[in-house]
């Protein structure tokens, strides 16, 4: 067996866009709003406002975690961390999902407790503060809109802020309903709705980050299409040990063994394959091993028994 390990000129994808300024602005805006919302929530006796303030606080922590992940991902590789700390963005997305689950539990518990003893709420104050929240959360969400499709970590920040804007709108609707009907049980019910919205928007983020942390093929990449593209290459008779996994929330790696009985095709051939993988599948870091016969070990292939 003849093996060749190579990284072509496109073997490394570009670093993710810098959202440092967006994170800084979002954190400052939301910290200020959390303080205002908490104070007025206590004065107005609104569980919905306090629930939203608690969620906004968790989002501040989430923004900090996501920002730290982006910063760590820029660290250069070392002898111990040979890929650098790019996987920090995956951990950030996972921590954000878990953090939001804790927030959901706390909000739901308090709301259910409050349902048993509804208390009067200053509807006018609630409406004013919640409207401010709509503006701040919408502005913050827009800071991350351009990066939401290509980076799970950035998408987490965007989803949180967009959900918060929707939640604040729900608080306004609930306050108007209470003022019109005098039914104060609406306030804790709105809190439960908030918890449900957070859970709904968090679930995809949590599942996606768990899959990434388990080295699943990133969404948007069809492993069967990748395999078909490789086996169609000139001189290739078989493909095995094909592995595709995320190095970070923006970068994808691939390793594969190509069986080529005619012998090693040369570096130019390998560079061309890597360029195709980068162009067709957005796989920026590919390691290819060439084998003369099909006697390679494939214990990690799905079709092989372990």
């Amino acid at each position: 067996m003849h093996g060749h390990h190579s990284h072509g000129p496109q073997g490394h994808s570009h670093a993710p866009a810098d959202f440092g300024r967006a994170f800084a602005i979002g954190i400052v805006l939301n910290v200020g709003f959390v303080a205002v919302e908490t104070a007025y929530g206590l004065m107005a006796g609104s569980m919905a406002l306090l629930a939203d303030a608690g969620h906004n606080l968790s989002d501040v922590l989430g923004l900090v975690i996501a920002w730290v992940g982006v910063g760590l991902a820029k660290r250069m590789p070392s002898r111990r961390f040979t890929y650098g700390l790019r996987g920090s963005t995956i951990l950030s997305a996972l921590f954000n999902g878990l953090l939001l689950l804790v927030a959901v539990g706390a909000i739901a518990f308090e709301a259910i407790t409050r349902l048993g003893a509804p208390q009067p709420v200053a509807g006018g104050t609630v409406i004013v503060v919640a409207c401010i929240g709509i503006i701040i959360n919408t502005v913050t969400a827009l800071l991350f809109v351009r990066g939401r499709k290509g980076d799970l970590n950035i998408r987490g920040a965007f989803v949180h802020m967009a959900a918060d804007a929707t939640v604040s709108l729900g608080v306004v609707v609930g306050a108007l309903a209470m003022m019109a009907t005098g039914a104060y049980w609406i306030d804790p019910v709105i809190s439960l709705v908030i918890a449900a919205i957070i859970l709904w928007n968090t679930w995809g983020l949590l599942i996606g980050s768990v899959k990434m942390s388990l080295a699943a093929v990133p969404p948007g990449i069809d492993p069967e299409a990748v395999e078909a593209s490789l086996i169609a290459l000139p001189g290739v008779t078989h493909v095995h040990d094909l592995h595709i996994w995320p190095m970070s929330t923006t970068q994808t790696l691939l390793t594969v063994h190509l069986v080529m009985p005619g012998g090693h095709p040369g570096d130019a051939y390998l560079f061309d394959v890597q360029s195709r993988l980068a162009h067709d599948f957005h796989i920026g870091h590919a390691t290819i091993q060439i084998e003369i016969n099909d006697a390679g070990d494939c214990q990690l292939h799905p079709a092989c028994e372990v």
Side-chain angles (χ1 to χ4, degrees), residues 77-118:
S78 65
R79 291 187 181 275
R80 177 64 61 182
F81 297 97
T82 56
Y83 284 126
L85 298 177
R86 290 177 174 86
S88 298
T89 55
I90 299 175
L91 291 178
S92 296
L94 179 59
F95 287 156
N96 267 324
L98 294 174
L99 181 63
L100 283 168
L101 287 184
V102 173
V104 167
I107 292 171
F109 175 80
E110 184 62 28
I112 292 173
T113 302
R114 203 77 176 270
L115 270 174

Side-chain angles (χ1 to χ4, degrees), residues 47-296:
M47 184 56 215
L49 272 184
L50 292 175
D52 195 36
H55 175 49
N56 278 318
L57 179 60
S58 73
D59 278 344
V60 170
L61 296 177
L63 287 174
V64 171
I65 291 172
W67 193 6
V68 170
V70 170
L72 290 176
K74 296 177 182 178
R75 296 282 294 274
M76 294 298 293
S78 65
R79 291 187 181 275
R80 177 64 61 182
F81 297 97
T82 56
Y83 284 126
L85 298 177
R86 290 177 174 86
S88 298
T89 55
I90 299 175
L91 291 178
S92 296
L94 179 59
F95 287 156
N96 267 324
L98 294 174
L99 181 63
L100 283 168
L101 287 184
V102 173
V104 167
I107 292 171
F109 175 80
E110 184 62 28
I112 292 173
T113 302
R114 203 77 176 270
L115 270 174
Q119 298 180 14
V121 175
T125 301
V126 171
I127 291 173
V128 172
V129 176
C131 284
I132 295 173
I134 293 173
I135 296 171
I136 290 178
N137 289 318
T138 299
V139 169
T140 306
L142 291 175
L143 295 173
F144 300 100
V145 68
R146 67 185 175 91
R148 72 190 190 283
K149 293 184 178 180
D151 188 339
L152 185 68
N153 193 32
I154 300 300
R155 182 165 71 90
F158 170 79
V159 168
H160 290 178
M161 296 301 111
D164 280 351
T166 304
V167 166
S168 294
L169 179 60
V171 171
V172 171
V173 172
L176 289 172
M178 282 186 294
M179 293 174 68
T181 64
Y184 295 118
W185 55 264
I186 293 176
D187 185 66
V189 168
I190 290 293
S191 298
L192 290 175
V193 173
I194 290 173
I197 292 174
I198 298 169
L199 181 61
W200 176 265
N201 285 280
T202 300
W203 194 248
L205 172 67
L206 186 62
I207 295 301
S209 58
V210 167
K211 287 181 178 179
M212 278 193 164
S213 66
L214 294 175
V217 176
I221 296 179
D222 181 355
E224 293 182 356
V226 175
E227 184 173 7
S229 175
L230 291 171
I231 204 168
L233 293 170
V236 175
T237 61
H238 186 61
V239 172
H240 67 94
D241 273 357
L242 172 61
H243 302 286
I244 308 168
W245 74 100
M247 177 166 54
S248 71
T249 52
T250 59
Q251 298 166 299
T252 303
L253 292 82
L254 173 149
T255 59
V256 65
H257 294 192
L258 302 182
V259 179
M260 305 185 72
H264 193 282
D267 287 345
Y269 179 97
L270 294 176
F271 293 162
D272 179 64
V273 173
Q274 290 169 327
S275 295
R276 290 188 187 186
L277 290 170
H279 179 270
D280 296 343
F281 302 102
H282 303 290
I283 297 173
H285 186 119
T287 302
I288 302 169
Q289 179 168 308
I290 303 299
E291 299 173 350
I292 305 303
N293 57 59
D294 198 9

